[in-house]
Amino acid sequence: MHSQLTHASLALSTDLVIYTARLVRSLRRNIDAPAGVRVLSLLDEHGPLGVTQLAKLDRCSQPTMSAAVANLAEAGLVAKDPSPVDARSSVVSLTHEGSNVLATQRDAWATAITERLRAHNRTQEDLATAVSVLRDLLEPDPMSGANRGTRPERI
Amino acid sequence: MHSQLTHASLALSTDLVIYTARLVRSLRRNIDAPAGVRVLSLLDEHGPLGVTQLAKLDRCSQPTMSAAVANLAEAGLVAKDPSPVDARSSVVSLTHEGSNVLATQRDAWATAITERLRAHNRTQEDLATAVSVLRDLLEPDPMSGANRGTRPERI
DNA sequence: ACGCGATGCATAGGGAGACTATGTATTGAT
DNA sequence: ATCAATACATAGTCTCCCTATGCATCGCGT
C-alpha cells in the first residue's frame, strides 16, 4: 500500500517535521517573534526592498508581508517610503533601531543555540549540516507535491 | 556590546531559526496539519496516553492538547475513553483510521523529503544529523533562557 | 472518615501568523 | 487612450498556541 521507503527514512522524515514544529513553537513562546525578525534579516541581507519582493523572498503571501511590514514600521524597526520610481510601490528599509534589534536577537539565538549544542557535544559543522538540509528542503517550492494524488485527510 | 560569537555562529543560528519557521509554514500551507499528526505520532510511539501526558511529551500546554485531541477524536482518528483507574483522567488511543492517516502522512513527508534531499545530493546521514541537532535544541526546556537579562523587544 | 492540597481536564478569551479573495491605483505597452 | 499586468491594501477566516480559571477527583495526613 505505502511506498517502499526504508524504515529509517520514514522515521527521520517524521522526526524532522515534528521537531521543527516544536522548535518553532518554542521560539514563539519566548516571544522571539521570528516573523518580524525574518523580515529584518532579509532587509539586512538584501538592502531596501518592496513588499512583494520581501514576500517572495520569505515565501509568504503578499498580504502576510504587508501586515508584517506594517507592524515593524509601527514599532519603528523599518521605514516604509514610497518608491521614487514607481508610485504603486514602496521601499522598506531597516532603521537603526531595527538593525539593533536584529543584532540583539541574532545574538540571543546564537548564544542559546551554541550553548545547547555544546552541551550535547554537537559541532558547528553539525549545525551547518542541519542548516543546509533545511535550506535544501525549502529550495524548489517547499513541500508542494508532497500530497500529489494521495492528498491525506486534513487532521 | 554584543557577545563575541563568531560570525559563522551568528549566521548559522539565524538561518536555522529562519529556515525552520519557513519550513513549518510551508508544511502548514499544504494542509499537512502537523499539529494533529504530532499527537498521532506520540500515540503510535508510546501507546495510549492521557491528555496531560501528551501535552508534556509534545511540549505544549494542556489546553492546547485538549483541543488537539478533541479535533482528532471528532475526526475519528483517536478514541478518548475515561480512564478505568482514575475518573479525572482519560485515555487517548489511536484508531485504525488514525493509524492509517499517520502512515499516509509519514509516507508523504518521507517521499517529499527524500526526493528533495536526493536532488541536492544530500545523504540520509545528513538528514540524521539535522534531526539530531533539532532534538538536542529541544531537549532541556527548549529555548528558554535565550532572553535572560537581555530580553529583546517584541517584534 | 474527613479535609485539602495536588492533579487531570475543560472552557473562556485572546493573540500571532497565514491564506484567499478582492479592490484600487499605477505602469507600461499597444 | 486603453487595458492587461503589477504593487499594495483590506476584509474575512483559519490554525495553532497561550494564560487564566473552574471543576471534579485522588490520595494523604490526622
Side-chain angles (χ1 to χ4, degrees):
Chain A
M1 166 178 184
H2 295 298
S3 69
Q4 70 294 39
L5 292 158
T6 66
H7 178 67
S9 246
L10 280 173
L12 284 174
S13 298
T14 304
D15 284 352
L16 184 81
V17 171
I18 290 178
Y19 292 158
T20 50
R22 288 191 188 142
L23 185 60
V24 167
R25 188 177 50 195
S26 158
L27 288 163
R28 239 199 297 262
R29 188 154 38 210
N30 288 26
I31 312 195
D32 288 340
V37 179
R38 282 201 303 276
V39 179
L40 299 182
S41 190
L42 284 172
L43 293 173
D44 184 50
E45 184 184 355
H46 295 90
L49 293 167
V51 170
T52 299
Q53 288 173 293
L54 281 169
K56 276 177 187 157
L57 287 171
D58 197 39
R59 297 175 181 284
C60 71
S61 68
Q62 168 263 308
T64 294
M65 186 52 73
S66 280
V69 167
N71 286 339
L72 290 169
E74 193 181 357
L77 305 187
V78 303
K80 188 176 158 193
D81 305 299
S83 164
V85 297
D86 186 339
R88 299 168 297 178
S89 178
S90 38
V91 175
V92 182
S93 50
L94 269 183
T95 61
H96 284 302
E97 191 180 344
S99 198
N100 287 338
V101 167
L102 174 60
T104 300
Q105 187 60 72
R106 272 207 232 254
D107 206 75
W109 283 338
T111 300
I113 289 174
T114 301
E115 186 180 315
R116 254 176 188 64
L117 291 184
R118 207 187 24 194
H120 290 275
N121 294 319
R122 258 315 131 218
T123 67
Q124 193 175 59
E125 194 182 348
D126 291 337
L127 175 57
T129 298
V131 169
S132 295
V133 165
L134 293 173
R135 180 173 16 235
D136 288 345
L137 289 176
L138 282 165
E139 188 119 313
D141 176 39
M143 293 287 98
S144 57
N147 292 338
R148 213 162 15 200
T150 58
R151 171 138 225 137
E153 299 80 309
R154 297 178 71 231
I155 316 297
Chain B
M1 166 178 185
H2 295 299
S3 69
Q4 70 294 44
L5 292 158
T6 67
H7 178 67
S9 247
L10 279 174
L12 284 174
S13 299
T14 303
D15 284 351
L16 184 81
V17 171
I18 290 179
Y19 293 158
T20 50
R22 289 194 187 139
L23 185 60
V24 167
R25 190 176 48 196
S26 158
L27 288 163
R28 237 199 299 260
R29 188 154 37 209
N30 289 26
I31 313 195
D32 289 341
V37 179
R38 282 202 303 275
V39 179
L40 298 182
S41 189
L42 285 171
L43 293 173
D44 184 52
E45 183 184 356
H46 296 89
L49 293 167
V51 171
T52 299
Q53 288 173 293
L54 281 169
K56 278 177 186 158
L57 288 172
D58 197 39
R59 298 175 180 285
C60 70
S61 69
Q62 168 264 308
T64 293
M65 185 53 72
S66 281
V69 167
N71 286 339
L72 290 169
E74 191 180 358
L77 305 187
V78 302
K80 187 176 157 194
D81 305 299
S83 164
V85 298
D86 186 339
R88 297 168 298 177
S89 178
S90 37
V91 175
V92 182
S93 50
L94 268 182
T95 62
H96 284 300
E97 192 181 344
S99 198
N100 288 338
V101 167
L102 175 61
T104 300
Q105 187 61 72
R106 271 206 234 254
D107 205 75
W109 284 338
T111 300
I113 288 174
T114 300
E115 186 179 315
R116 255 177 187 62
L117 292 184
R118 207 190 22 200
H120 289 274
N121 294 320
R122 206 116 334 254
T123 67
Q124 191 174 62
E125 194 182 348
D126 291 336
L127 175 56
T129 299
V131 169
S132 294
V133 165
L134 293 172
R135 182 176 11 237
D136 289 345
L137 289 176
L138 282 165
E139 188 118 313
D141 174 41
M143 293 288 97
S144 57
N147 292 339
R148 214 163 13 201
T150 59
R151 180 163 223 116
E153 299 81 307
R154 296 177 72 232
I155 316 295

